[in-house]
Amino acid sequence: MKITKRFNRVIKPLKPINTSTSDSKPHTIKPKPNLNPKSKTKPRTLKQSNLYPKPTFILEKAPILGPDFYQIDALDLAPRLLGKYLKRDDVVLQITEVEAYRSNDSACHGRVGVTPRTAPLFGPGGHAYVYLCYGMHNMLNVVADKQGIGSAVLIRSCAPVTVEKWYGSTGLETIKQRRGQDTEKPVLLTGPGKVGQALGITTDWSNQPLFTPGGLELLDGPEVTEIVVGPRVGIDYALPEHVAALWRFAIAGSPWISAPKNTLSPP
């Protein structure tokens, strides 16, 4: 299903995204029949080796998004972040799933006002807001709108990206090392705590601009034409209307989406 008019008013004309991560189902190759009845050799089943192909990233073609990109409501910014790239050092991730948190939202940290922890949330759009969850997960948010509003977009899941030119495959190895997992399956990056760990960030990165070269950068990427939406995860403490709000967005067909997936559907 095409993206709805609710988001078309803030999104430029859409171009198809190269969703090479959508082909997630393994297939098998049937062996040739054994024509020798005396042979005891068992037919072999060959499994597909690359179940989760990663998009290729060309550094020169992905400019850093400027501050003006973020000066909109978090609910409008959230779907626009899908398909964009997060870059730190040799690690590049493509954003596949996000959640919007607005200023009048009982699930948003801004509901408690400005505190030493939430101060970056009330800064100008285009900065990072990183908070610690359960004392162990560093959760990356992209601050939205103008200074003083207090809204942001949580980065829930990403896909690893193979970087062309000088980085090679070192980025993926860095992700595995930071995550402590030797796998290329979606479990590597499906979850906000996993994204923060893969990027190697802590709360010290809170309030850092995402448009300054050399730090944590947010780069332009292909526009997403098809999305799925659903209620946000883990906000049972919020008001019923905010618990039910469909403010979670993900790239349709991508395997790089966190659980639960059965609450997501086309808008």
Side-chain angles (χ1 to χ4, degrees), residues 95-137:
I95 300 171
T96 55
E97 181 189 359
V98 296
E99 288 178 347
Y101 289 85
R102 307 177 79 190
S103 59
N104 59 348
D105 179 6
S106 60
C108 181
H109 288 180
R111 69 187 185 279
V112 301
V114 180
T115 68
R117 181 199 193 197
T118 65
L121 181 62
F122 289 88
H127 288 67
Y129 170 50
V130 184
Y131 66 89
L132 197 61
C133 182
Y134 300 123
M136 58 187 299
H137 302 301

mmCIF file of all heavy atoms in Angstrom, residues 95-137:
data_model
loop_
_atom_site.group_PDB
_atom_site.id
_atom_site.type_symbol
_atom_site.label_atom_id
_atom_site.label_comp_id
_atom_site.label_asym_id
_atom_site.label_seq_id
_atom_site.Cartn_x
_atom_site.Cartn_y
_atom_site.Cartn_z
ATOM 1 N N ILE A 95 18.220 3.137 8.540
ATOM 2 C CA ILE A 95 17.097 3.133 9.474
ATOM 3 C C ILE A 95 15.910 2.388 8.858
ATOM 4 O O ILE A 95 15.473 2.712 7.756
ATOM 5 C CB ILE A 95 16.698 4.570 9.851
ATOM 6 C CG1 ILE A 95 17.874 5.281 10.517
ATOM 7 C CG2 ILE A 95 15.487 4.575 10.775
ATOM 8 C CD1 ILE A 95 17.651 6.771 10.744
ATOM 9 N N THR A 96 15.379 1.405 9.587
ATOM 10 C CA THR A 96 14.276 0.589 9.079
ATOM 11 C C THR A 96 13.015 0.674 9.939
ATOM 12 O O THR A 96 11.942 0.278 9.491
ATOM 13 C CB THR A 96 14.701 -0.889 8.993
ATOM 14 O OG1 THR A 96 15.182 -1.313 10.285
ATOM 15 C CG2 THR A 96 15.810 -1.077 7.953
ATOM 16 N N GLU A 97 13.147 1.184 11.174
ATOM 17 C CA GLU A 97 11.987 1.228 12.073
ATOM 18 C C GLU A 97 12.164 2.362 13.079
ATOM 19 O O GLU A 97 13.258 2.549 13.625
ATOM 20 C CB GLU A 97 11.840 -0.105 12.821
ATOM 21 C CG GLU A 97 10.658 -0.167 13.767
ATOM 22 C CD GLU A 97 10.669 -1.422 14.637
ATOM 23 O OE1 GLU A 97 11.606 -2.243 14.480
ATOM 24 O OE2 GLU A 97 9.757 -1.566 15.479
ATOM 25 N N VAL A 98 11.094 3.116 13.310
ATOM 26 C CA VAL A 98 11.151 4.271 14.210
ATOM 27 C C VAL A 98 9.838 4.408 14.979
ATOM 28 O O VAL A 98 8.828 3.801 14.627
ATOM 29 C CB VAL A 98 11.411 5.586 13.425
ATOM 30 C CG1 VAL A 98 12.767 5.570 12.748
ATOM 31 C CG2 VAL A 98 10.302 5.824 12.399
ATOM 32 N N GLU A 99 9.854 5.241 16.027
ATOM 33 C CA GLU A 99 8.652 5.612 16.762
ATOM 34 C C GLU A 99 8.666 7.109 17.028
ATOM 35 O O GLU A 99 9.719 7.672 17.380
ATOM 36 C CB GLU A 99 8.576 4.874 18.106
ATOM 37 C CG GLU A 99 8.268 3.397 17.989
ATOM 38 C CD GLU A 99 8.246 2.703 19.339
ATOM 39 O OE1 GLU A 99 8.711 3.316 20.337
ATOM 40 O OE2 GLU A 99 7.763 1.567 19.409
ATOM 41 N N ALA A 100 7.519 7.754 16.870
ATOM 42 C CA ALA A 100 7.401 9.184 17.116
ATOM 43 C C ALA A 100 6.917 9.443 18.540
ATOM 44 O O ALA A 100 6.015 8.763 19.035
ATOM 45 C CB ALA A 100 6.433 9.813 16.112
ATOM 46 N N TYR A 101 7.504 10.453 19.182
ATOM 47 C CA TYR A 101 7.099 10.896 20.520
ATOM 48 C C TYR A 101 6.918 12.408 20.480
ATOM 49 O O TYR A 101 7.874 13.146 20.260
ATOM 50 C CB TYR A 101 8.142 10.473 21.564
ATOM 51 C CG TYR A 101 8.148 8.988 21.811
ATOM 52 C CD1 TYR A 101 8.880 8.129 20.984
ATOM 53 C CD2 TYR A 101 7.388 8.425 22.826
ATOM 54 C CE1 TYR A 101 8.856 6.753 21.182
ATOM 55 C CE2 TYR A 101 7.362 7.052 23.044
ATOM 56 C CZ TYR A 101 8.100 6.224 22.218
ATOM 57 O OH TYR A 101 8.075 4.854 22.416
ATOM 58 N N ARG A 102 5.691 12.847 20.699
ATOM 59 C CA ARG A 102 5.338 14.262 20.530
ATOM 60 C C ARG A 102 5.307 14.991 21.873
ATOM 61 O O ARG A 102 5.303 14.371 22.944
ATOM 62 C CB ARG A 102 3.989 14.375 19.829
ATOM 63 C CG ARG A 102 3.917 13.605 18.525
ATOM 64 C CD ARG A 102 2.546 13.684 17.906
ATOM 65 N NE ARG A 102 2.328 14.929 17.224
ATOM 66 C CZ ARG A 102 1.152 15.333 16.754
ATOM 67 N NH1 ARG A 102 0.088 14.561 16.921
ATOM 68 N NH2 ARG A 102 1.032 16.484 16.135
ATOM 69 N N SER A 103 5.247 16.318 21.809
ATOM 70 C CA SER A 103 5.310 17.135 23.011
ATOM 71 C C SER A 103 4.080 16.977 23.899
ATOM 72 O O SER A 103 4.171 17.099 25.121
ATOM 73 C CB SER A 103 5.487 18.612 22.633
ATOM 74 O OG SER A 103 4.406 19.038 21.809
ATOM 75 N N ASN A 104 2.923 16.682 23.311
ATOM 76 C CA ASN A 104 1.693 16.508 24.087
ATOM 77 C C ASN A 104 1.392 15.036 24.341
ATOM 78 O O ASN A 104 0.253 14.638 24.533
ATOM 79 C CB ASN A 104 0.510 17.152 23.355
ATOM 80 C CG ASN A 104 0.304 16.532 21.970
ATOM 81 O OD1 ASN A 104 1.157 15.803 21.472
ATOM 82 N ND2 ASN A 104 -0.835 16.827 21.357
ATOM 83 N N ASP A 105 2.430 14.225 24.366
ATOM 84 C CA ASP A 105 2.333 12.773 24.398
ATOM 85 C C ASP A 105 2.664 12.272 25.809
ATOM 86 O O ASP A 105 3.750 12.533 26.330
ATOM 87 C CB ASP A 105 3.328 12.220 23.370
ATOM 88 C CG ASP A 105 3.376 10.718 23.301
ATOM 89 O OD1 ASP A 105 2.569 10.051 23.964
ATOM 90 O OD2 ASP A 105 4.249 10.207 22.563
ATOM 91 N N SER A 106 1.750 11.537 26.419
ATOM 92 C CA SER A 106 1.979 11.033 27.777
ATOM 93 C C SER A 106 3.026 9.924 27.822
ATOM 94 O O SER A 106 3.435 9.494 28.902
ATOM 95 C CB SER A 106 0.664 10.518 28.379
ATOM 96 O OG SER A 106 0.119 9.465 27.601
ATOM 97 N N ALA A 107 3.468 9.441 26.660
ATOM 98 C CA ALA A 107 4.541 8.448 26.608
ATOM 99 C C ALA A 107 5.912 9.085 26.396
ATOM 100 O O ALA A 107 6.929 8.396 26.467
ATOM 101 C CB ALA A 107 4.272 7.443 25.490
ATOM 102 N N CYS A 108 5.932 10.395 26.139
ATOM 103 C CA CYS A 108 7.177 11.098 25.846
ATOM 104 C C CYS A 108 7.861 11.547 27.136
ATOM 105 O O CYS A 108 7.204 11.960 28.093
ATOM 106 C CB CYS A 108 6.880 12.305 24.956
ATOM 107 S SG CYS A 108 8.350 13.263 24.503
ATOM 108 N N HIS A 109 9.186 11.492 27.174
ATOM 109 C CA HIS A 109 9.935 11.958 28.345
ATOM 110 C C HIS A 109 9.710 13.444 28.606
ATOM 111 O O HIS A 109 9.898 13.911 29.734
ATOM 112 C CB HIS A 109 11.430 11.697 28.153
ATOM 113 C CG HIS A 109 11.792 10.251 28.242
ATOM 114 N ND1 HIS A 109 13.080 9.785 28.102
ATOM 115 C CD2 HIS A 109 11.022 9.142 28.453
ATOM 116 C CE1 HIS A 109 13.102 8.470 28.231
ATOM 117 N NE2 HIS A 109 11.868 8.062 28.428
ATOM 118 N N GLY A 110 9.300 14.161 27.578
ATOM 119 C CA GLY A 110 9.051 15.590 27.751
ATOM 120 C C GLY A 110 7.887 15.893 28.668
ATOM 121 O O GLY A 110 7.726 17.037 29.114
ATOM 122 N N ARG A 111 7.091 14.888 29.009
ATOM 123 C CA ARG A 111 5.924 15.118 29.867
ATOM 124 C C ARG A 111 6.326 15.590 31.263
ATOM 125 O O ARG A 111 5.529 16.218 31.972
ATOM 126 C CB ARG A 111 5.094 13.834 29.981
ATOM 127 C CG ARG A 111 5.764 12.725 30.775
ATOM 128 C CD ARG A 111 4.990 11.415 30.713
ATOM 129 N NE ARG A 111 5.572 10.376 31.563
ATOM 130 C CZ ARG A 111 6.610 9.627 31.207
ATOM 131 N NH1 ARG A 111 7.172 9.803 30.016
ATOM 132 N NH2 ARG A 111 7.078 8.701 32.030
ATOM 133 N N VAL A 112 7.575 15.308 31.688
ATOM 134 C CA VAL A 112 8.032 15.707 33.024
ATOM 135 C C VAL A 112 8.694 17.073 33.008
ATOM 136 O O VAL A 112 9.106 17.567 34.063
ATOM 137 C CB VAL A 112 9.007 14.657 33.604
ATOM 138 C CG1 VAL A 112 8.353 13.301 33.688
ATOM 139 C CG2 VAL A 112 10.291 14.577 32.769
ATOM 140 N N GLY A 113 8.807 17.680 31.826
ATOM 141 C CA GLY A 113 9.443 18.986 31.718
ATOM 142 C C GLY A 113 10.952 18.876 31.539
ATOM 143 O O GLY A 113 11.499 17.789 31.336
ATOM 144 N N VAL A 114 11.619 20.014 31.643
ATOM 145 C CA VAL A 114 13.065 20.075 31.423
ATOM 146 C C VAL A 114 13.795 19.637 32.697
ATOM 147 O O VAL A 114 13.611 20.220 33.767
ATOM 148 C CB VAL A 114 13.510 21.486 31.023
ATOM 149 C CG1 VAL A 114 15.021 21.519 30.805
ATOM 150 C CG2 VAL A 114 12.788 21.939 29.761
ATOM 151 N N THR A 115 14.613 18.604 32.581
ATOM 152 C CA THR A 115 15.456 18.110 33.668
ATOM 153 C C THR A 115 16.862 17.911 33.091
ATOM 154 O O THR A 115 17.045 17.993 31.872
ATOM 155 C CB THR A 115 14.937 16.771 34.218
ATOM 156 O OG1 THR A 115 15.100 15.756 33.207
ATOM 157 C CG2 THR A 115 13.463 16.864 34.606
ATOM 158 N N PRO A 116 17.862 17.666 33.936
ATOM 159 C CA PRO A 116 19.194 17.383 33.376
ATOM 160 C C PRO A 116 19.184 16.248 32.354
ATOM 161 O O PRO A 116 19.951 16.272 31.392
ATOM 162 C CB PRO A 116 20.009 17.008 34.627
ATOM 163 C CG PRO A 116 19.362 17.771 35.731
ATOM 164 C CD PRO A 116 17.894 17.755 35.413
ATOM 165 N N ARG A 117 18.298 15.258 32.548
ATOM 166 C CA ARG A 117 18.220 14.146 31.605
ATOM 167 C C ARG A 117 17.505 14.524 30.326
ATOM 168 O O ARG A 117 17.943 14.156 29.234
ATOM 169 C CB ARG A 117 17.488 12.973 32.275
ATOM 170 C CG ARG A 117 17.360 11.731 31.404
ATOM 171 C CD ARG A 117 16.251 10.823 31.929
ATOM 172 N NE ARG A 117 16.272 9.501 31.335
ATOM 173 C CZ ARG A 117 15.271 8.655 31.357
ATOM 174 N NH1 ARG A 117 14.131 8.992 31.951
ATOM 175 N NH2 ARG A 117 15.359 7.454 30.805
ATOM 176 N N THR A 118 16.399 15.263 30.434
ATOM 177 C CA THR A 118 15.563 15.541 29.262
ATOM 178 C C THR A 118 15.924 16.841 28.543
ATOM 179 O O THR A 118 15.338 17.130 27.504
ATOM 180 C CB THR A 118 14.086 15.611 29.661
ATOM 181 O OG1 THR A 118 13.883 16.741 30.537
ATOM 182 C CG2 THR A 118 13.648 14.333 30.357
ATOM 183 N N ALA A 119 16.855 17.609 29.054
ATOM 184 C CA ALA A 119 17.190 18.903 28.453
ATOM 185 C C ALA A 119 17.484 18.811 26.957
ATOM 186 O O ALA A 119 17.003 19.650 26.178
ATOM 187 C CB ALA A 119 18.358 19.538 29.207
ATOM 188 N N PRO A 120 18.258 17.811 26.494
ATOM 189 C CA PRO A 120 18.506 17.716 25.044
ATOM 190 C C PRO A 120 17.232 17.520 24.230
ATOM 191 O O PRO A 120 17.167 17.937 23.067
ATOM 192 C CB PRO A 120 19.428 16.498 24.925
ATOM 193 C CG PRO A 120 20.093 16.398 26.248
ATOM 194 C CD PRO A 120 19.049 16.814 27.239
ATOM 195 N N LEU A 121 16.216 16.902 24.818
ATOM 196 C CA LEU A 121 14.944 16.678 24.125
ATOM 197 C C LEU A 121 14.269 17.994 23.772
ATOM 198 O O LEU A 121 13.528 18.085 22.787
ATOM 199 C CB LEU A 121 14.028 15.826 25.009
ATOM 200 C CG LEU A 121 12.648 15.439 24.478
ATOM 201 C CD1 LEU A 121 12.776 14.585 23.228
ATOM 202 C CD2 LEU A 121 11.864 14.702 25.562
ATOM 203 N N PHE A 122 14.519 19.037 24.570
ATOM 204 C CA PHE A 122 13.911 20.340 24.340
ATOM 205 C C PHE A 122 14.815 21.261 23.522
ATOM 206 O O PHE A 122 14.505 22.442 23.352
ATOM 207 C CB PHE A 122 13.574 20.994 25.687
ATOM 208 C CG PHE A 122 12.422 20.334 26.397
ATOM 209 C CD1 PHE A 122 12.625 19.260 27.244
ATOM 210 C CD2 PHE A 122 11.122 20.778 26.195
ATOM 211 C CE1 PHE A 122 11.567 18.648 27.897
ATOM 212 C CE2 PHE A 122 10.053 20.175 26.839
ATOM 213 C CZ PHE A 122 10.269 19.103 27.690
ATOM 214 N N GLY A 123 15.902 20.736 23.035
ATOM 215 C CA GLY A 123 16.783 21.516 22.182
ATOM 216 C C GLY A 123 16.258 21.590 20.763
ATOM 217 O O GLY A 123 15.179 21.057 20.449
ATOM 218 N N PRO A 124 16.999 22.217 19.859
ATOM 219 C CA PRO A 124 16.548 22.317 18.466
ATOM 220 C C PRO A 124 16.600 20.983 17.751
ATOM 221 O O PRO A 124 17.402 20.104 18.094
ATOM 222 C CB PRO A 124 17.537 23.314 17.852
ATOM 223 C CG PRO A 124 18.768 23.189 18.696
ATOM 224 C CD PRO A 124 18.292 22.883 20.082
ATOM 225 N N GLY A 125 15.738 20.797 16.758
ATOM 226 C CA GLY A 125 15.727 19.572 15.968
ATOM 227 C C GLY A 125 17.061 19.317 15.298
ATOM 228 O O GLY A 125 17.788 20.240 14.952
ATOM 229 N N GLY A 126 17.378 18.029 15.130
ATOM 230 C CA GLY A 126 18.631 17.662 14.484
ATOM 231 C C GLY A 126 19.724 17.278 15.454
ATOM 232 O O GLY A 126 20.861 17.034 15.036
ATOM 233 N N HIS A 127 19.400 17.218 16.742
ATOM 234 C CA HIS A 127 20.352 16.796 17.754
ATOM 235 C C HIS A 127 19.962 15.407 18.264
ATOM 236 O O HIS A 127 18.829 14.962 18.099
ATOM 237 C CB HIS A 127 20.412 17.784 18.916
ATOM 238 C CG HIS A 127 21.091 19.068 18.566
ATOM 239 N ND1 HIS A 127 20.568 19.976 17.667
ATOM 240 C CD2 HIS A 127 22.270 19.601 18.992
ATOM 241 C CE1 HIS A 127 21.378 21.008 17.544
ATOM 242 N NE2 HIS A 127 22.422 20.800 18.336
ATOM 243 N N ALA A 128 20.917 14.745 18.895
ATOM 244 C CA ALA A 128 20.657 13.428 19.470
ATOM 245 C C ALA A 128 20.142 13.578 20.893
ATOM 246 O O ALA A 128 20.558 14.458 21.636
ATOM 247 C CB ALA A 128 21.941 12.599 19.463
ATOM 248 N N TYR A 129 19.214 12.720 21.247
ATOM 249 C CA TYR A 129 18.769 12.566 22.632
ATOM 250 C C TYR A 129 18.977 11.100 22.982
ATOM 251 O O TYR A 129 18.297 10.224 22.442
ATOM 252 C CB TYR A 129 17.309 12.973 22.789
ATOM 253 C CG TYR A 129 16.700 12.612 24.124
ATOM 254 C CD1 TYR A 129 17.338 12.934 25.317
ATOM 255 C CD2 TYR A 129 15.486 11.937 24.199
ATOM 256 C CE1 TYR A 129 16.787 12.588 26.544
ATOM 257 C CE2 TYR A 129 14.911 11.599 25.417
ATOM 258 C CZ TYR A 129 15.570 11.924 26.586
ATOM 259 O OH TYR A 129 15.017 11.583 27.803
ATOM 260 N N VAL A 130 19.954 10.826 23.842
ATOM 261 C CA VAL A 130 20.299 9.450 24.213
ATOM 262 C C VAL A 130 20.017 9.264 25.696
ATOM 263 O O VAL A 130 20.517 10.012 26.530
ATOM 264 C CB VAL A 130 21.777 9.133 23.919
ATOM 265 C CG1 VAL A 130 22.081 7.663 24.224
ATOM 266 C CG2 VAL A 130 22.128 9.457 22.472
ATOM 267 N N TYR A 131 19.202 8.276 26.011
ATOM 268 C CA TYR A 131 18.918 7.988 27.415
ATOM 269 C C TYR A 131 19.189 6.520 27.705
ATOM 270 O O TYR A 131 19.208 5.679 26.802
ATOM 271 C CB TYR A 131 17.474 8.357 27.785
ATOM 272 C CG TYR A 131 16.407 7.540 27.114
ATOM 273 C CD1 TYR A 131 15.941 6.353 27.685
ATOM 274 C CD2 TYR A 131 15.834 7.947 25.914
ATOM 275 C CE1 TYR A 131 14.949 5.598 27.078
ATOM 276 C CE2 TYR A 131 14.838 7.192 25.294
ATOM 277 C CZ TYR A 131 14.407 6.025 25.884
ATOM 278 O OH TYR A 131 13.426 5.274 25.280
ATOM 279 N N LEU A 132 19.409 6.217 28.985
ATOM 280 C CA LEU A 132 19.711 4.865 29.410
ATOM 281 C C LEU A 132 18.426 4.176 29.862
ATOM 282 O O LEU A 132 17.695 4.697 30.704
ATOM 283 C CB LEU A 132 20.730 4.898 30.551
ATOM 284 C CG LEU A 132 21.471 3.595 30.872
ATOM 285 C CD1 LEU A 132 22.293 3.123 29.674
ATOM 286 C CD2 LEU A 132 22.372 3.796 32.089
ATOM 287 N N CYS A 133 18.168 3.006 29.292
ATOM 288 C CA CYS A 133 16.962 2.234 29.620
ATOM 289 C C CYS A 133 17.350 0.982 30.405
ATOM 290 O O CYS A 133 18.260 0.249 29.989
ATOM 291 C CB CYS A 133 16.244 1.854 28.325
ATOM 292 S SG CYS A 133 14.710 0.937 28.563
ATOM 293 N N TYR A 134 16.683 0.764 31.525
ATOM 294 C CA TYR A 134 16.965 -0.382 32.398
ATOM 295 C C TYR A 134 18.427 -0.425 32.843
ATOM 296 O O TYR A 134 18.967 -1.487 33.158
ATOM 297 C CB TYR A 134 16.601 -1.701 31.713
ATOM 298 C CG TYR A 134 15.156 -1.816 31.337
ATOM 299 C CD1 TYR A 134 14.767 -2.044 30.022
ATOM 300 C CD2 TYR A 134 14.151 -1.680 32.305
ATOM 301 C CE1 TYR A 134 13.423 -2.144 29.673
ATOM 302 C CE2 TYR A 134 12.808 -1.784 31.958
ATOM 303 C CZ TYR A 134 12.456 -2.017 30.649
ATOM 304 O OH TYR A 134 11.126 -2.118 30.304
ATOM 305 N N GLY A 135 19.076 0.733 32.837
ATOM 306 C CA GLY A 135 20.452 0.812 33.307
ATOM 307 C C GLY A 135 21.472 0.173 32.399
ATOM 308 O O GLY A 135 22.650 0.055 32.766
ATOM 309 N N MET A 136 21.090 -0.217 31.160
ATOM 310 C CA MET A 136 22.022 -0.937 30.290
ATOM 311 C C MET A 136 21.890 -0.613 28.804
ATOM 312 O O MET A 136 22.853 -0.780 28.057
ATOM 313 C CB MET A 136 21.865 -2.449 30.495
ATOM 314 C CG MET A 136 20.473 -2.961 30.223
ATOM 315 S SD MET A 136 20.243 -4.709 30.664
ATOM 316 C CE MET A 136 21.418 -5.505 29.591
ATOM 317 N N HIS A 137 20.737 -0.147 28.336
ATOM 318 C CA HIS A 137 20.530 0.092 26.907
ATOM 319 C C HIS A 137 20.566 1.592 26.610
ATOM 320 O O HIS A 137 19.784 2.353 27.183
ATOM 321 C CB HIS A 137 19.195 -0.486 26.453
ATOM 322 C CG HIS A 137 19.045 -1.951 26.701
ATOM 323 N ND1 HIS A 137 19.902 -2.889 26.162
ATOM 324 C CD2 HIS A 137 18.140 -2.649 27.439
ATOM 325 C CE1 HIS A 137 19.527 -4.095 26.550
ATOM 326 N NE2 HIS A 137 18.470 -3.981 27.328
#
